[in-house]
């Protein structure tokens, strides 16, 4: 028998039924839910007179619609009627079905993809789903994790299983050692720029190589988070001592003898030496520079020292796409990306709102001041991240530099709460999508790392962070 990949091993261990090459039924270990994609699912359960099969394997948070100010006032104080209704509906549904819930204002609450790992609910070898595309984040722990649709949310609630077709195996090796200022966010943007937003379609990507092994868990989460932007179903990193050290002692992690048993199993979760991958790619991170997006797709990337593409240099079909993106973004073909003047800076989201992200940005702005015309904000990924940052004095560093220091939530990653761009505003953002209108109707988004965003806040325009290091 030929060797198996990590994806193969997790798939085989969770296969309930299925035909080779056809649709299968997988058991789901952890179902994460939030207020946006669950109301219809719970309504479907009620209409069919069904309950939740495994409330103990379900965890609920409120994150997308939550305001990042005034959370102590409670859901009733949420100004937007639709947002308030979704939050109230989630509270009612989880109470009715006995599901663990971290409501707005609970220090354990925050962005769902920050909470799962933080609480130790995310563990190696698991299958994890959520009605949110960036569930791929949890693959950093060697878990098979991906987003699902609302009808699938209902199916998992009712059965604790999911119907799936197996994906292809793809491996991306990151080799070499990055220079200062090049982060996991730059790894992700470089990969997406290289293979495009459809490059991983139909595949689960396993990330390997010495540059991945050298990443912290937070860096691995950033990379796996962005996997979905490359079109892949999920991203995976084989668990190792870095993973185990992160998990040890977390509230829901195994304890005592159960921890030793878990470790012995987790250490087997890696691709066999003779495992075959359908596609393989190698990226030398020593050749990477800090990256930034210029257009309206995550694949529209350039080095921070680079230029916006000139439509005249491309065939007409591609040139038309570039012209549309440039018109929306208010840029000229061929101009230096560093000429783009920034109005807003957003440091947060499920991609880059963890304590390491905040430390890196704070170190860069310490003792300096945000450009006079820039409104900058920092949104921690959870109440516990916020508490830790405040214990370390990071909030004071940000405030002294002129940043807004907010309460946790998805915030300006997407236009579903009060934190939005106005039409035409240009934002240096640590989030994951730069689609038209993603951060607010007519808003212009440039994706980059927390250090890059912090540097842009100081400079007032996109700038190579290495100038500040």
């Amino acid at each position: 028998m030929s060797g198996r990949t990590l994806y193969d091993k997790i798939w085989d261990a969770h296969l309930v039924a299925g035909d080779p090459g056809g649709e299968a039924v997988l058991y789901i270990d952890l179902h994460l839910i939030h207020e946006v994609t669950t109301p219809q699912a719970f309504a479907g359960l009620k209409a069919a007179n069904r309950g939740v099969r495994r409330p103990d394997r379900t965890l609920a948070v409120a994150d997308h619609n939550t305001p990042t100010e005034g959370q102590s006032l409670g859901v009733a104080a949420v100004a937007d009627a639709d947002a308030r209704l979704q939050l109230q509906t989630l509270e009612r549904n989880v109470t009715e079905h006995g599901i663990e819930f971290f409501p707005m204002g609970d220090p354990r609450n925050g962005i769902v993809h920050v909470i799962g790992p933080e609480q130790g609910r995310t563990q190696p070898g698991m299958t994890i789903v959520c009605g949110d595309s960036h569930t791929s984040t949890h693959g950093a722990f060697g878990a098979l994790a991906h987003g699902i649709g609302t009808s699938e949310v209902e199916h998992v609630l009712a059965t604790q299983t999911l119907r799936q077709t197996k994906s292809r195996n793809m491996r991306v090796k990151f080799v070499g050692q990055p220079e200062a200022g090049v982060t996991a966010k730059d790894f992700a943007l470089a990969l997406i720029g290289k293979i495009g937003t459809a490059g991983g379609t139909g595949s689960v990507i396993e990330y390997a190589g010495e540059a991945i092994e050298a990443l912290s868990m937070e860096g691995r989460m950033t990379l796996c988070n962005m996997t979905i932007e490359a079109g892949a179903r999920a991203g995976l990193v084989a668990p190792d001592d870095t993973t185990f050290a992160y998990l040890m002692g977390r509230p829901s992690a195994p304890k005592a003898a159960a921890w030793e048993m878990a470790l012995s199993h987790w250490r087997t979760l890696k691709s066999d030496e003779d495992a075959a991958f359908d596609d393989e790619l190698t990226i030398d991170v020593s050749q990477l520079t800090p990256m930034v997006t210029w257009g309206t797709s995550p694949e529209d990337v350039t080095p921070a020292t680079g230029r916006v593409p000139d439509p005249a240099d491309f065939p007409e079909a591609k040139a038309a796409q570039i012209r549309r993106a440039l018109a929306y973004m208010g840029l000229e073909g061929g101009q230096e990306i560093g000429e783009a003047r920034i109005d807003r800076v957003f440091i947060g989201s499920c991609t880059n709102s963890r304590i390491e992200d905040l430390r890196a940005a704070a170190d860069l702005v310490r003792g300096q001041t945000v450009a006079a015309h820039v409104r900058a904000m920092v949104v921690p990924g959870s109440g516990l991240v916020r508490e830790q940052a405040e214990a370390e004095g990071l909030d004071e560093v940000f405030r002294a530099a002129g940043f807004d220091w907010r309460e946790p939530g998805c915030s300006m990653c997407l236009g579903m709460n009060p934190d939005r761009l106005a039409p035409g505003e240009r934002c240096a953002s640590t989030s994951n999508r730069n689609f038209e209108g993603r951060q607010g109707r007519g808003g212009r988004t440039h994706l980059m790392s927390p250090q890059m965003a912090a540097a842009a806040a100081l400079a007032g325009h996109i700038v190579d962070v290495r100038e500040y290091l």
Side-chain angles (χ1 to χ4, degrees):
M1 181 179 175
S2 61
R4 294 184 298 162
T5 66
L6 174 56
Y7 172 48
D8 293 337
K9 291 179 180 182
I10 300 173
W11 176 278
D12 292 347
H14 292 81
L15 187 63
V16 176
D19 300 318
E23 195 173 65
V25 176
L26 288 188
Y27 183 76
I28 300 303
D29 292 308
L30 175 62
H31 188 192
L32 300 166
I33 63 175
H34 58 79
E35 76 275 18
V36 176
T37 54
T38 56
Q40 300 94 328
F42 279 109
L45 289 184
K46 188 171 185 177
N49 198 29
R50 294 190 179 107
V52 175
R53 179 70 180 267
R54 292 295 300 270
D56 58 316
R57 290 189 175 269
T58 311
L59 175 64
V61 303
D63 58 1
H64 282 58
N65 286 313
T66 55
T68 57
E69 295 179 299
Q71 292 186 1
S72 63
L73 299 175
V75 170
V78 173
D80 183 271
D82 290 338
R84 187 169 62 251
L85 178 60
Q86 284 191 334
L87 292 164
Q88 291 169 334
T89 301
L90 177 66
E91 289 192 6
R92 184 177 68 249
N93 284 326
V94 297
T95 300
E96 181 179 336
H97 292 278
I99 293 169
E100 186 174 19
F101 175 46
F102 301 151
M104 187 176 75
D106 186 316
R108 298 168 299 173
N109 189 50
I111 306 171
V112 65
H113 308 310
V114 175
I115 301 308
E118 187 174 74
Q119 291 295 318
R121 294 292 294 262
T122 300
Q123 297 175 19
M126 281 185 164
T127 49
I128 301 174
V129 295
C130 175
D132 185 281
S133 55
H134 294 102
T135 309
S136 55
T137 307
H138 306 264
F141 292 80
L144 177 57
H146 54 78
I148 56 177
T150 297
S151 61
E152 292 174 308
V153 170
E154 181 182 347
H155 190 277
V156 176
L157 288 171
T159 69
Q160 205 58 31
T161 67
L162 183 66
R163 294 167 66 173
Q164 284 282 283
T165 301
K166 195 175 183 189
S167 300
R168 291 163 56 88
N169 277 288
M170 182 175 181
R171 179 163 61 187
V172 178
K173 288 185 176 179
F174 285 89
V175 301
Q177 184 171 342
E179 67 170 289
V182 176
T183 70
K185 186 65 164 283
D186 303 299
F187 291 12
L189 290 174
L191 172 63
I192 298 164
K194 186 177 183 69
I195 69 174
T197 52
T201 301
S203 299
V204 166
I205 299 177
E206 180 176 342
Y207 298 107
E210 65 262 29
I212 299 301
E213 293 167 8
L215 286 177
S216 67
M217 286 312 300
E218 303 204 353
R220 296 177 191 184
M221 282 187 262
T222 294
L223 179 59
C224 286
N225 174 277
M226 294 287 288
T227 304
I228 192 72
E229 312 310 336
R233 184 65 169 151
L236 284 170
V237 176
D240 58 14
D241 287 341
T242 301
T243 320
F244 311 145
Y246 178 97
L247 282 170
M248 183 180 285
R250 295 202 175 260
S252 295
K255 305 292 190 295
W259 172 260
E260 296 303 324
M261 287 179 61
L263 269 185
S264 64
H265 170 57
W266 292 346
R267 292 189 190 282
T268 69
L269 295 172
K270 56 188 175 182
S271 292
D272 296 330
E273 290 290 335
D274 59 341
F277 288 84
D278 299 296
D279 301 285
E280 294 208 57
L281 176 68
T282 299
I283 294 177
D284 183 352
V285 301
S286 68
Q287 302 301 306
L288 298 184
T289 60
M291 307 294 286
V292 57
T293 60
W294 58 265
T296 55
S297 166
E299 70 182 39
D300 297 339
V301 298
T302 183
T305 55
R307 292 181 178 272
V308 174
D310 188 336
D313 296 335
F314 295 85
E316 180 50 33
K318 181 64 175 176
Q321 293 177 3
I322 295 172
R323 283 195 296 269
R324 176 189 169 111
L326 293 177
Y328 182 84
M329 293 296 292
L331 299 173
E332 297 291 332
Q335 77 171 77
E336 292 183 2
I337 192 63
E339 296 173 356
R341 189 174 188 264
I342 293 297
D343 304 298
R344 304 286 296 273
V345 171
F346 168 58
I347 297 175
S349 87
C350 61
T351 315
N352 283 121
S353 64
R354 298 170 183 86
I355 191 65
E356 287 181 13
D357 301 313
L358 305 193
R359 287 173 183 152
D363 285 346
L364 198 119
V365 305
R366 194 182 305 272
Q368 303 196 66
T369 306
V370 170
H373 68 276
V374 173
R375 286 181 58 201
M377 62 193 296
V378 180
V379 184
S382 74
L384 295 177
V385 170
R386 187 171 190 258
E387 286 183 0
Q388 185 173 353
E390 291 177 350
E392 296 178 13
L394 303 186
D395 60 320
E396 295 175 6
V397 173
F398 285 121
R399 286 190 176 109
F403 283 80
D404 285 344
W405 176 250
R406 297 298 187 93
E407 295 176 270
C410 291
S411 184
M412 200 191 279
C413 176
L414 75 174
M416 292 186 69
N417 55 72
D419 301 342
R420 299 178 192 176
L421 295 181
E425 281 192 318
R426 188 180 305 281
C427 183
S429 178
T430 68
S431 54
N432 42 52
R433 286 185 173 157
N434 55 335
F435 305 153
E436 293 184 18
R438 169 74 176 182
Q439 291 189 287
R441 184 172 175 271
R444 296 163 170 166
T445 301
H446 296 273
L447 304 177
M448 60 191 77
S449 72
Q451 294 96 317
M452 280 281 290
L458 301 178
H461 57 86
I462 292 174
V463 65
D464 185 344
V465 67
R466 292 173 296 182
E467 296 180 19
Y468 285 81
L469 296 177

